[in-house]
Amino acid sequence: MGFARKEYQFLAELGLGPRNPGAYVNGAWRGDGPVVTSTNPANNQAIAEVVEASIQDYEDGMKACAGASKIWMQIPAPKRGEIVRQIGDALRAKLHHLGRLVSLEMGKILPEGIGEVQEIIDMCDYAVGLSRQLNGSIIPSERPNHMMLEVWNPLGIVGVITAFNFPCAVLGWNACIALVCGNCVVWKGAPTTPLITIAMTELVAGVLEKNNLPGAIFTSFCGGTEIGQAIACDTRIPLVSFTGSSKVGLMVQQTVNKRFGKFLLELSGNNSIIVMDDADIQLAVRSVLFAAVGTAGQRCTTCRRLLLHESIYQTVLDQLVGVYKQVKVGDPLEKGILLGPLHTPASKENFVKGIEGIKSQGGKILIGGSIIEGNGNFVQPTIVEISSDAPVVKEELFAPVLYVMKFQTLKEAIEINNSVPQGLSSSIFTRKPELIFKWIGPLGSDCGIVNVNIPTNGAEIGGAFGGEKATGGGREAGSDSWKQYMRRSTCTINYGSELPLAQGINFG
């Protein structure tokens, strides 16, 4: 077992051992499901074992969580914010260990792994302030001696199902807000990153225990489809937040819809960067490199389509190919590496199939296009010239593959940007105000994230994160995303002795 290796010794600081129970139920660790092995995608060697949750573990956890929710929702919101503040401090104390675990188990480079944990810390800080600003409103009533109020109350329990590419940050987007809004959290982490799920839960559990609060306020499960389906079907969970593919997200949506539950979907992206003829080319090239190669192309916000104005097409392409040649590929824990491995051997196989499909549809490989032989899941960063009408361009290939195409007018570029089923992120590089405001206006990008002169990825937590169309329509993190985690009541109070009716109705 790889756990004994010297470079894995830091895992003990996160509460991890060679074999770990994967269900945190009613304040205690257990696990009665299948035993799975967490592997390092850089070499596909074992890190440690995890005993996944069984359906009985799930049921016991949900019973305890339902009971704890009655306690948690009655604690004043600023007091709940104080608990989240302490969670942020616990994360700060383990920032580098947790970031290293993210890199080890997921495969993203170490600066990105640390950055992912920092994002949860930022979310904790944001949620603390939010806990004093869950404001309702007073609405003027048309009736004398009447008052109308808008009141927000907790939903009760929020189910969070996260994906491998951001194995803990997406939990942070959801859990920090859900907790200050008065909800308990039930989390199912990605099946292939169970150690991160356990380590994150350990930190949250420690804060709850220190404050003499029920451990069931935060319930977590390592597991696969069976646990995910149980969450989607469970009427005790008013809101299910799901991050993953559009295909699976649609199934989650339909399942939750059948029981009239709420859903929050963060699904596939097929993001484009448009470079106009007046753009700062050096800035654009640097941005495209990060957007297309970062996290080995496995972000939902990864730039997958590069649209270049015909007048600067070759100039940008030549510079981009030049910087791609300098990209260092290797162990994500090593300094100077920009491209780590894909997450699983299956991801590597999908890359191979994707390249075959690209070639069969007329795509021309300008650089890359091959796997890197060895024990890990490494592939070459790839740039492809291809028509925007090619069917493969409409799909999300979760790998560092960038499609390049040219255009003549902004109108044409916007049409290409909007022509795919997904609608997550987009960006334009230009200095002209008239183009910028066209781009962000009603006839511009149809995405949930519409950037100017920055990459498609690397969103700040202060804004609402999410997309349109097949991306699911959900919004997480900042702005008014918190409203999705609460139920709204309109309350009309009659403090007089008469009974005037609305709309002037006279009844009897």
Side-chain angles (χ1 to χ4, degrees), residues 387-410:
S387 167
S388 62
D389 295 325
V392 70
V393 173
K394 313 293 185 186
E395 303 166 1
E396 183 186 44
L397 178 58
F398 228 49
V401 177
L402 179 66
Y403 303 123
V404 184
M405 50 206 76
K406 66 176 67 172
F407 67 89
Q408 295 180 329
T409 66
L410 176 61

Side-chain angles (χ1 to χ4, degrees), residues 141-160:
S141 173
E142 67 184 63
R143 292 173 277 189
N145 299 324
H146 282 57
M147 179 71 70
M148 291 178 67
L149 308 175
E150 190 174 78
V151 178
W152 294 89
N153 281 301
L155 292 172
I157 300 174
V158 172
V160 183

Side-chain angles (χ1 to χ4, degrees), residues 293-325:
V293 174
T295 324
Q298 296 171 110
R299 291 184 181 223
C300 53
T301 51
T302 290
C303 177
R304 309 206 178 277
R305 299 175 295 145
L306 177 60
L307 284 52
L308 301 175
H309 190 275
E310 60 181 3
S311 66
I312 45 95
Y313 181 84
Q314 203 58 51
T315 301
V316 175
L317 206 49
D318 289 345
Q319 289 192 28
L320 193 60
V321 169
V323 296
Y324 262 57
K325 289 177 180 178

